[in-house]
Amino acid sequence: MIRAGARRLGTVMAKWLFVCLFLFGGLLPASGEEDVDFHRYMKGRRVYEKQCVWCHGRTGRGNGEWAEGVKDKPRNFRMGVFKFRSTRCGCLPTDADLARTIRKGIPGTMMPTFKDMAEADLQAVIYYVKSLSPRWKDPERRAAAEPLPEPPKW
Protein backbone atom coordinates (compact mmCIF):
# COMPACT_ATOMS: atom_id res chain seq x y z
CA MET A 1 0.00 0.00 0.00
CA ILE A 2 2.81 2.42 0.85
CA ARG A 3 4.68 1.55 -2.36
CA ALA A 4 1.60 2.29 -4.48
CA GLY A 5 1.20 5.67 -2.78
CA ALA A 6 4.86 6.50 -3.28
CA ARG A 7 4.65 5.49 -6.94
CA ARG A 8 1.59 7.73 -7.40
CA LEU A 9 3.36 10.63 -5.69
CA GLY A 10 6.38 10.08 -7.95
CA THR A 11 4.13 10.18 -11.02
CA VAL A 12 2.50 13.42 -9.89
CA MET A 13 5.88 14.99 -9.16
CA ALA A 14 7.21 13.91 -12.56
CA LYS A 15 4.22 15.53 -14.29
CA TRP A 16 4.77 18.79 -12.40
CA LEU A 17 8.46 18.72 -13.25
CA PHE A 18 7.61 18.26 -16.93
CA VAL A 19 5.21 21.21 -16.88
CA CYS A 20 7.77 23.43 -15.11
CA LEU A 21 10.55 22.47 -17.51
CA PHE A 22 8.28 23.05 -20.50
CA LEU A 23 7.09 26.43 -19.26
CA PHE A 24 10.54 27.65 -18.25
CA GLY A 25 12.43 26.60 -21.36
CA GLY A 26 13.73 23.08 -20.84
CA LEU A 27 11.47 21.41 -23.39
CA LEU A 28 10.54 24.27 -25.66
CA PRO A 29 9.87 23.36 -29.26
CA ALA A 30 13.20 24.04 -30.79
CA SER A 31 12.43 26.26 -33.76
CA GLY A 32 13.62 29.57 -32.36
CA GLU A 33 11.33 31.92 -34.29
CA GLU A 34 8.10 30.21 -33.29
CA ASP A 35 6.25 31.07 -30.14
CA VAL A 36 5.67 28.11 -27.86
CA ASP A 37 2.22 26.69 -28.46
CA PHE A 38 1.48 24.45 -25.49
CA HIS A 39 -1.80 23.10 -26.92
CA ARG A 40 -0.19 22.23 -30.26
CA TYR A 41 2.71 20.57 -28.43
CA MET A 42 0.36 18.48 -26.28
CA LYS A 43 -1.80 17.55 -29.27
CA GLY A 44 1.35 16.46 -31.12
CA ARG A 45 2.43 14.45 -28.11
CA ARG A 46 -0.96 12.68 -28.01
CA VAL A 47 -0.75 11.85 -31.73
CA TYR A 48 2.85 10.65 -31.27
CA GLU A 49 1.88 8.43 -28.33
CA LYS A 50 -0.99 6.94 -30.31
CA GLN A 51 0.71 6.48 -33.69
CA CYS A 52 4.51 6.64 -33.35
CA VAL A 53 5.58 5.41 -29.92
CA TRP A 54 5.39 1.72 -30.93
CA CYS A 55 8.38 2.08 -33.24
CA HIS A 56 10.13 5.32 -32.27
CA GLY A 57 9.77 4.78 -28.51
CA ARG A 58 8.43 7.03 -25.75
CA THR A 59 11.40 9.37 -25.86
CA GLY A 60 11.92 9.29 -29.63
CA ARG A 61 15.11 7.22 -29.61
CA GLY A 62 13.90 4.65 -32.16
CA ASN A 63 13.69 1.93 -29.51
CA GLY A 64 9.97 1.20 -29.37
CA GLU A 65 8.54 -2.27 -28.75
CA TRP A 66 8.13 -2.99 -32.46
CA ALA A 67 11.71 -1.93 -33.26
CA GLU A 68 13.28 -4.95 -31.56
CA GLY A 69 14.93 -7.35 -33.96
CA VAL A 70 14.39 -5.15 -37.02
CA LYS A 71 17.29 -4.60 -39.40
CA ASP A 72 16.40 -1.02 -40.38
CA LYS A 73 15.75 0.69 -37.06
CA PRO A 74 13.23 3.55 -36.80
CA ARG A 75 14.65 7.08 -36.82
CA ASN A 76 16.10 8.36 -33.54
CA PHE A 77 14.50 11.81 -33.28
CA ARG A 78 16.79 12.77 -30.39
CA MET A 79 19.75 12.82 -32.77
CA GLY A 80 18.01 15.27 -35.09
CA VAL A 81 19.46 13.57 -38.18
CA PHE A 82 17.07 12.87 -41.04
CA LYS A 83 17.63 10.91 -44.22
CA PHE A 84 14.76 12.16 -46.38
CA ARG A 85 15.02 15.90 -46.81
CA SER A 86 15.22 18.51 -49.53
CA THR A 87 17.79 20.64 -47.67
CA ARG A 88 21.55 20.57 -48.09
CA CYS A 89 23.74 18.12 -46.20
CA GLY A 90 23.97 18.80 -42.46
CA CYS A 91 20.72 20.78 -42.36
CA LEU A 92 17.41 19.79 -40.84
CA PRO A 93 14.46 18.88 -43.04
CA THR A 94 11.67 21.34 -43.75
CA ASP A 95 8.21 20.78 -42.31
CA ALA A 96 7.14 19.78 -45.84
CA ASP A 97 9.85 17.08 -45.85
CA LEU A 98 8.63 15.68 -42.55
CA ALA A 99 5.00 15.84 -43.71
CA ARG A 100 5.88 13.99 -46.93
CA THR A 101 7.66 11.22 -45.02
CA ILE A 102 4.76 10.84 -42.59
CA ARG A 103 2.09 10.93 -45.32
CA LYS A 104 3.85 8.60 -47.79
CA GLY A 105 5.82 6.39 -45.40
CA ILE A 106 9.09 4.78 -46.45
CA PRO A 107 8.74 1.73 -48.72
CA GLY A 108 10.80 -1.26 -47.65
CA THR A 109 10.89 -0.17 -44.00
CA MET A 110 8.56 -0.29 -41.01
CA MET A 111 7.47 3.33 -41.64
CA PRO A 112 3.83 3.10 -42.77
CA THR A 113 1.79 5.70 -44.61
CA PHE A 114 -0.44 8.06 -42.68
CA LYS A 115 -2.25 9.46 -45.71
CA ASP A 116 -5.54 9.77 -43.81
CA MET A 117 -4.11 11.65 -40.82
CA ALA A 118 -5.89 14.97 -40.26
CA GLU A 119 -3.80 17.99 -41.29
CA ALA A 120 -4.01 19.48 -37.78
CA ASP A 121 -2.73 16.20 -36.30
CA LEU A 122 0.06 16.04 -38.87
CA GLN A 123 1.24 19.58 -38.11
CA ALA A 124 1.00 18.94 -34.35
CA VAL A 125 3.07 15.73 -34.49
CA ILE A 126 5.71 17.53 -36.60
CA TYR A 127 5.80 20.26 -33.94
CA TYR A 128 6.26 17.62 -31.24
CA VAL A 129 8.96 15.68 -33.13
CA LYS A 130 10.89 18.94 -33.57
CA SER A 131 10.87 19.37 -29.79
CA LEU A 132 12.72 16.09 -29.26
CA SER A 133 16.15 17.26 -30.46
CA PRO A 134 18.17 20.32 -29.46
CA ARG A 135 19.41 20.58 -33.06
CA TRP A 136 16.16 22.36 -33.97
CA LYS A 137 17.18 25.26 -31.69
CA ASP A 138 20.23 26.07 -33.82
CA PRO A 139 19.18 28.48 -36.61
CA GLU A 140 22.25 27.51 -38.65
CA ARG A 141 20.83 23.99 -38.98
CA ARG A 142 17.73 25.28 -40.78
CA ALA A 143 17.76 25.92 -44.50
CA ALA A 144 15.38 26.31 -47.40
CA ALA A 145 14.77 23.37 -49.69
CA GLU A 146 17.33 22.96 -52.45
CA PRO A 147 15.99 22.97 -56.02
CA LEU A 148 15.98 19.52 -57.56
CA PRO A 149 18.24 18.97 -60.58
CA GLU A 150 16.78 18.36 -63.99
CA PRO A 151 16.12 14.66 -64.66
CA PRO A 152 18.55 13.08 -67.12
CA LYS A 153 17.46 13.05 -70.77
CA TRP A 154 18.24 9.44 -71.57
Side-chain angles (χ1 to χ4, degrees):
M1 185 65 133
I2 293 174
R3 284 187 179 169
R7 204 174 4 229
R8 224 178 338 225
L9 178 62
T11 302
V12 170
M13 289 176 66
K15 287 179 182 178
W16 274 107
L17 177 62
F18 170 79
V19 169
C20 290
L21 285 173
F22 180 82
L23 292 176
F24 296 108
L27 296 175
L28 295 177
S31 50
E33 291 127 18
E34 292 181 33
D35 289 332
V36 176
D37 183 345
F38 183 71
H39 294 291
R40 189 168 158 198
Y41 173 87
M42 292 306 291
K43 181 176 187 163
R45 181 177 169 195
R46 281 191 301 275
V47 172
Y48 180 89
E49 287 177 351
K50 183 177 180 188
Q51 302 289 345
C52 312
V53 75
W54 307 106
C55 296
H56 294 284
R58 271 207 177 284
T59 60
R61 295 188 192 282
N63 60 351
E65 289 178 37
W66 294 358
E68 291 181 29
V70 175
K71 180 183 173 196
D72 295 322
K73 296 290 183 191
R75 183 66 40 195
N76 179 343
F77 296 131
R78 295 288 189 178
M79 299 289 291
V81 177
F82 295 83
K83 195 184 243 184
F84 302 101
R85 56 181 169 47
S86 60
T87 56
R88 67 182 184 273
C89 186
C91 290
L92 294 164
T94 64
D95 286 4
D97 293 332
L98 295 174
R100 183 177 46 257
T101 302
I102 294 167
R103 287 268 189 234
K104 294 185 175 186
I106 303 173
T109 71
M110 290 177 50
M111 179 64 188
T113 63
F114 290 95
K115 60 184 178 183
D116 296 327
M117 183 181 285
E119 185 65 24
D121 289 350
L122 176 68
Q123 293 306 317
V125 79
I126 289 170
Y127 191 77
Y128 179 75
V129 165
K130 289 168 64 174
S131 76
L132 296 174
S133 172
R135 291 188 79 218
W136 291 96
K137 291 184 180 180
D138 183 358
E140 292 182 17
R141 298 272 185 199
R142 285 183 255 129
E146 294 285 316
L148 294 174
E150 288 292 320
K153 295 181 169 79
W154 296 358

